[in-house]
Amino acid sequence: MADNHSEQIRIVQETVAGKEITFAHIMGGPAPIIYTKLGLNPQVDYTSSAIGIMNMTPPESAVIASDIAVKTGDVYLGFADRFTGTLIITGQLSDVESAMNEIVTYFRDEMNYVVCKITKR
């Protein structure tokens, strides 16, 4: 009788909740198709718009980041996921930049998170 278990591979994936912002990027003037594919607000002036995207751990931090974002500038909360730690905001470039900067600063200075640099393209 053959041992069917000897040929199986077992993979265990585990995440360790650190206190960090692992990704922060601003897309200035993204193509309208990006908004459509992401299911974001279609009522946007694409000529001066921006999308900001972040990822953080623990993932519940996205709730706090969402609150900071909408209180900092005139941004639209496109997506916030407390299970993956992903946040997507949209708005005018200056508002998205302000919100992203405020989030990173607050998490670094007040909550002692390790934060990455905000990249922009």
Side-chain angles (χ1 to χ4, degrees):
M1 184 170 179
D3 182 7
N4 291 334
H5 296 291
S6 64
E7 295 181 21
Q8 294 179 355
I9 297 174
R10 181 177 178 173
I11 298 172
V12 177
Q13 186 173 357
E14 189 175 322
T15 57
V16 178
K19 288 173 47 176
E20 62 185 329
I21 294 177
T22 57
F23 179 73
H25 183 76
I26 299 170
M27 293 180 273
I33 190 67
I34 295 173
Y35 284 85
T36 303
K37 293 295 183 180
L38 293 176
L40 298 173
N41 185 1
Q43 304 300 319
V44 172
D45 174 11
Y46 296 109
T47 59
S48 59
S49 64
I51 297 174
I53 183 167
M54 303 182 98
N55 192 266
M56 55 204 70
T57 59
E60 298 85 0
S61 303
V63 176
I64 299 167
S66 299
D67 181 60
I68 293 169
V70 298
K71 289 178 179 175
T72 299
D74 185 20
V75 296
Y76 172 78
L77 187 58
F79 182 75
D81 189 351
R82 63 187 171 105
F83 299 107
T84 63
T86 301
L87 173 69
I88 299 175
I89 59 174
T90 63
Q92 299 298 311
L93 181 58
S94 60
D95 290 321
V96 171
E97 285 177 328
S98 294
M100 297 279 284
N101 284 321
E102 186 63 28
I103 292 166
V104 168
T105 300
Y106 181 81
F107 275 73
R108 182 191 62 225
D109 297 347
E110 300 297 325
M111 298 181 72
N112 298 316
Y113 275 49
V114 174
V115 300
C116 66
K117 175 183 169 189
I118 299 173
T119 56
K120 180 179 165 188
R121 177 153 181 152

